[in-house]
């Protein structure tokens, strides 16, 4: 896409390697895979480190490492907006000390007033609202329990817990260090099933599903 120049993409790629030693080592082991991941991000119009991540996966069968371009929730929403059928889409987290009310039926009604000062409490619910060009809208929501069930089924999360237990250390997983970001990403994947289906979104979902399964 015109808004991404080769110079900017190169700058972003080198910036990620400088700040992520695991990615840098993977790029040295398999430069072609690294280049392919950058090219994939470029074709999708996504920027590594901003709305997409370059994630190394061990390929034990071929004794190498492969790098995948995995969009985060911002990247998924950007791809959804690119369809031209969506006027706005947002993903929010409601906390226990916020004022929140949800009514479902012939007309979905939602009120969310975040607590602006003091402790907002614990995450209670994640929701997304998409508004379409024809004036209609779609609402999706998931409880924290729903989100965590998906987390617990993720191969990457299970491997992180098993590795931490084996070596008696803290788990290294974005589900632990960035739960809110992962929750928003999970919700983005949920609502994308009800949005205009572009080839880009379908391909991205296949990549993310493979990553969850450790493939």
């Amino acid at each position: 896409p015109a808004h991404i120049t080769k110079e900017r993409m190169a700058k972003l790629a080198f910036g990620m390697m400088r700040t992520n030693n695991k990615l840098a080592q993977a790029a040295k082991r398999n430069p072609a895979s690294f280049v392919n991941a950058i090219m994939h991000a470029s074709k999708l119009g996504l920027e590594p480190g901003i709305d997409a991540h370059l994630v190394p996966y061990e390929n034990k069968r071929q004794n190498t490492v492969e790098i995948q371009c995995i969009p985060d929730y911002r990247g998924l929403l950007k791809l959804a907006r690119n369809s031209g059928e969506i006027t706005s889409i947002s993903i929010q987290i409601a906390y226990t000390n916020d004022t929140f009310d949800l009514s479902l039926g012939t007309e979905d009604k939602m009120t969310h007033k975040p607590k602006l000062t003091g402790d907002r409490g614990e995450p209670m619910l994640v929701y997304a609202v998409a508004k379409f060009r024809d004036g209609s809208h779609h609402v999706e929501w998931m409880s924290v329990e729903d989100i965590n069930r998906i987390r617990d089924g993720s191969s990457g999360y299970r491997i992180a817990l098993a590795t931490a237990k084996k070596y008696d250390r803290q788990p290294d997983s974005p589900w632990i260090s960035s739960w809110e970001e992962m929750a928003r990403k999970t919700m983005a994947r949920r609502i994308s099933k009800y949005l205009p289906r572009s080839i880009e979104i379908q391909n991205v979902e296949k990549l993310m599903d493979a990553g969850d399964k450790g493939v």
Side-chain angles (χ1 to χ4, degrees), residues 13 17 47 57 87 101 180 186 190:
M17 284 198 292
E47 298 179 306
Y57 291 95
T87 58
D101 183 65
E180 287 83 359
T186 301
R190 170 68 65 89

Side-chain angles (χ1 to χ4, degrees), residues 176-188:
I176 296 174
S177 60
S178 305
W179 186 93
E180 287 83 359
E181 292 291 302
M182 295 300 291
R184 287 187 171 95
K185 180 178 176 180
T186 301
M187 175 50 66

Side-chain angles (χ1 to χ4, degrees), residues 22-212:
K22 184 177 180 180
L23 175 63
Q25 295 302 318
K28 290 179 181 179
R29 288 177 59 190
N30 193 342
S33 180
F34 179 70
V35 172
N36 284 337
I38 294 294
M39 291 176 65
H40 187 203
S42 301
K43 290 178 181 178
L44 292 173
L46 302 178
E47 298 179 306
I50 297 177
D51 48 28
H53 303 283
L54 302 182
V55 183
Y57 291 95
E58 288 289 337
N59 186 333
K60 296 182 179 179
R61 186 174 302 174
Q62 298 182 8
N63 193 30
T64 186
V65 63
E66 295 177 355
I67 301 169
Q68 296 279 10
C69 169
I70 306 294
D72 64 11
Y73 80 93
R74 300 177 190 84
L76 281 174
L77 298 188
K78 178 189 286 188
L79 293 177
R81 293 188 189 100
N82 289 346
S83 70
E85 299 297 322
I86 298 173
T87 58
S88 69
I89 183 170
S90 65
I91 297 176
Q92 303 293 337
I93 298 176
Y95 295 82
T96 52
N97 292 339
D98 293 346
T99 299
F100 183 85
D101 183 65
L102 172 64
S103 298
L104 302 176
T106 55
E107 292 186 11
D108 298 335
K109 294 182 180 180
M110 180 183 295
T111 301
H112 181 199
K113 295 181 180 180
K115 182 177 173 59
L116 301 181
T117 59
D119 183 16
R120 293 182 65 187
E122 296 297 320
M124 175 178 64
L125 178 141
V126 184
Y127 68 90
V129 180
K131 297 181 180 180
F132 303 100
R133 192 167 297 281
D134 63 4
S136 62
H137 70 278
H138 184 78
V139 175
E140 280 291 316
W141 63 277
M142 300 176 70
S143 67
V144 169
E145 290 77 11
D146 294 333
I147 296 287
N148 286 341
R149 272 194 291 270
I150 292 176
R151 175 202 65 185
D152 295 343
S154 165
S155 175
Y157 180 70
R158 295 199 306 269
I159 291 173
L161 293 183
T163 302
K165 183 177 181 180
K166 180 178 180 180
Y167 295 102
D168 191 24
R169 65 190 186 193
Q170 292 297 318
D172 180 16
S173 170
W175 277 110
I176 296 174
S177 60
S178 305
W179 186 93
E180 287 83 359
E181 292 291 302
M182 295 300 291
R184 287 187 171 95
K185 180 178 176 180
T186 301
M187 175 50 66
R189 295 173 67 178
R190 170 68 65 89
I191 197 171
S192 70
K193 301 180 186 299
Y194 302 92
L195 303 179
R197 306 290 291 167
S198 68
I199 295 299
E200 289 82 5
I201 288 181
Q202 293 179 48
N203 289 338
V204 163
E205 287 178 345
K206 290 178 182 177
L207 275 177
M208 296 172 80
D209 288 342
D212 286 344

